[in-house]
């Protein structure tokens, strides 16, 4: 799909098409907080993480490396919960959501809640916009032909082969998030810098202490490598299907909220296992339209959004998980 294939935005309806849908969702009661769901999710996640480390302590050998996989799956769940806290989905109080974000992100995951939340809010405001969305800014990967044209030497080789290298590069994503979090501390105000810096330091010290006190050094190093690699791939697999290969609005495109969010987002079909694996991000259209909607309500609101888009003749993109990766990789290859 390209921007030339998209339906035009008519001045007579622009800005009003989202209002009936928003009113219907509010009146449905789906925006209410799901305290029980999130309390149980956080408790299970914390207990599961603790259980993995108990298992590491009981084995203390090369068998411990196998536990790096469930540790990574649980760490990804922590990231998804931190994402929900950042969108104020969990608690009614902004302060409580922030505290949860700091505990889940900085302390448990080693990723700055403040840095990630600021970047992610920009993404939600301007999804897939090459000049405004930090998620499609030129970095290790390029997302537009213009970005690719500026690459030279080794970076040019990387860009030309980025579709083939995409999944291998994801093994470094977990470490990249940690490094970016630490580097961004200088941009935080002094109070937040001390709070987040202290929590990030506590995570790093605690993580390394557990690894090297419970396992022989060689085993600990392999455990950490596997843990971070699986975490990076898992997070990348959850984020990659959402917008990659979808239309990218240009500087002259003046889309209203409904079109800006729907036309740039891709949903992933599937059942409860898909919901669990992707942390609810498989309902990307609904999440972008209603970022404060609690995760359990996304499946419930989907029929309303699909019906509303159909009435307006607005493309509602939904595909299978494997097909979404194929589309994203084809796009990366075409850009290069």
């Amino acid at each position: 799909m390209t921007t030339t294939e998209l339906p035009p935005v008519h001045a007579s309806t622009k800005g009003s098409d989202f209002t009936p849908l928003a009113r219907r969702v509010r009146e449905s009661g789906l925006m209410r907080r799901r305290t029980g769901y999130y309390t149980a999710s956080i408790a299970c996640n914390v207990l599961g993480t603790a259980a993995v480390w108990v298992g590491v302590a009981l084995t203390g050998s090369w068998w411990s490396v196998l536990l790096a996989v469930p540790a990574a799956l649980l760490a990804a769940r922590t990231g998804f919960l931190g994402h929900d806290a950042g969108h104020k989905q969990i608690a009614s109080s902004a302060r409580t959501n922030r505290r949860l974000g700091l505990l889940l992100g900085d302390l448990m995951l080693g990723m700055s809640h403040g840095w990630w939340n600021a970047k992610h809010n920009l993404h939600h405001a301007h999804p897939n916009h090459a000049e405004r969305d930090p998620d499609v800014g030129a970095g290790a990967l390029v997302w537009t032909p213009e970005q690719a044209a500026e690459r030279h030497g080794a970076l040019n080789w990387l860009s030309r082969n980025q579709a083939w290298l995409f999944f291998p590069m994801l093994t470094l994503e977990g470490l990249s998030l940690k490094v970016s979090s630490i580097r961004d501390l200088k941009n935080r105000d002094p109070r937040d810098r001390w709070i987040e810096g202290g929590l990030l330091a506590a995570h790093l010290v605690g993580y390394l202490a557990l690894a090297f006190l419970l396992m022989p050094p060689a085993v600990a190093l392999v455990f950490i490598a596997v843990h971070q690699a699986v975490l990076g791939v898992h997070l990348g697999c959850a984020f990659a299907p959402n917008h990659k290969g979808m239309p990218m609005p240009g500087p002259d495109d003046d889309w209203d909220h409904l079109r800006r969010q729907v036309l740039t987002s891709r949903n992933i079909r599937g059942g409860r296992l898909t919901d669990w694996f992707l942390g609810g991000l498989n309902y990307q259209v609904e999440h972008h339209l209603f970022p404060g909607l609690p995760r359990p309500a996304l499946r419930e609101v989907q029929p309303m959004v699909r019906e509303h888009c159909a009435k307006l003749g607005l493309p509602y993109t939904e595909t299978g998980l494997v097909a979404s990766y194929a589309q994203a990789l084809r796009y990366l290859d075409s850009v290069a």
Side-chain angles (χ1 to χ4, degrees):
M1 182 186 296
T2 64
T3 52
T4 58
E5 297 171 333
L6 301 177
V9 179
H10 300 291
S12 60
T13 63
K14 184 182 173 191
S16 64
D17 287 338
F18 179 63
T19 303
L21 177 62
R23 183 185 303 115
R24 184 181 176 189
V25 172
R26 282 196 304 269
E27 293 174 350
S28 71
L30 292 175
M31 296 296 297
R32 70 183 185 279
R33 302 302 97 186
R34 305 296 180 92
T35 307
Y37 168 85
Y38 280 111
T39 299
S41 297
I42 294 173
C44 289
N45 198 64
V46 171
L47 291 174
T49 302
V52 166
W53 285 106
V54 169
V56 169
L58 292 175
T59 52
S61 66
W62 287 105
W63 289 106
S64 300
V65 175
L66 296 177
L67 293 172
V69 175
L73 295 177
L74 287 163
R77 313 271 81 68
T78 301
F80 295 147
L81 288 167
H83 165 270
D84 293 358
H87 283 297
K88 302 179 177 62
Q89 295 178 18
I90 300 179
S92 56
S93 164
R95 176 179 295 181
T96 301
N97 280 301
R98 181 176 181 274
R99 288 174 176 172
L100 286 170
L102 291 172
L103 292 174
L104 293 163
D106 294 70
L107 184 60
M108 288 191 65
L109 198 58
M111 186 179 76
S112 167
H113 175 72
W115 161 74
W116 179 85
N117 208 39
K119 181 174 77 74
H120 193 62
N121 285 338
L122 285 175
H123 159 70
H124 267 264
H126 308 284
N128 251 22
H129 195 293
E131 297 176 2
R132 298 181 180 183
D133 182 356
D135 287 356
V136 291
L141 303 174
V142 292
W143 308 103
T144 66
E146 292 76 16
Q147 292 174 354
E150 296 176 358
R151 294 297 177 92
H152 303 284
L155 287 178
N156 181 48
W157 177 88
L158 178 65
S159 297
R160 286 188 288 108
N161 294 279
Q162 63 181 9
W164 294 99
L165 295 172
F166 178 71
F167 284 105
M169 289 172 66
L170 286 181
T171 60
L172 300 175
E173 180 65 15
L175 292 175
S176 175
L177 292 171
K178 290 176 170 57
V179 171
S180 297
S181 297
I182 295 171
R183 292 178 60 184
D184 189 70
L185 285 174
K186 65 181 183 296
N187 299 322
R188 309 259 72 81
D189 63 56
R191 181 173 180 273
D192 287 343
R193 187 182 306 142
W194 281 106
I195 293 173
E196 294 213 50
L199 291 172
L200 291 173
H203 167 84
L204 182 61
V205 171
Y207 181 67
L208 295 178
L210 284 171
F212 285 97
L213 288 176
L214 299 178
M215 293 174 282
V219 178
L221 288 173
V222 175
F223 178 95
I224 291 171
V226 173
H227 182 206
Q228 297 302 320
V230 174
L231 172 61
V233 171
H234 188 3
L235 291 176
C237 285
F239 297 144
N242 302 337
H243 303 280
K244 306 304 182 269
M246 295 300 292
M248 299 182 70
D252 298 327
D253 290 319
D254 186 21
W255 298 350
D256 62 316
H257 175 73
L258 181 69
R259 287 163 178 81
R260 185 166 59 248
Q261 306 301 340
V262 173
L263 297 177
T264 61
S265 300
R266 178 195 291 113
N267 275 16
I268 306 300
R269 288 189 294 268
R272 299 294 180 181
L273 181 60
T274 304
D275 293 358
W276 177 87
F277 179 71
L278 299 180
L281 298 178
N282 43 313
Y283 303 103
Q284 193 68 193
V285 174
E286 289 73 24
H287 171 58
H288 263 256
L289 288 173
F290 304 98
L293 189 71
R295 193 193 311 177
L298 291 170
R299 175 180 283 269
E300 300 175 60
V301 83
Q302 185 183 37
M304 300 184 196
V305 175
R306 187 189 284 119
E307 177 187 342
H308 189 71
C309 289
K311 286 181 179 178
L312 296 173
L314 196 62
Y316 179 96
T317 303
E318 189 175 27
T319 187
L321 183 61
V322 175
S324 72
Y325 294 140
Q327 291 172 22
L329 292 176
R330 280 197 298 269
Y331 176 76
L332 287 173
D333 187 57
S334 68
V335 168

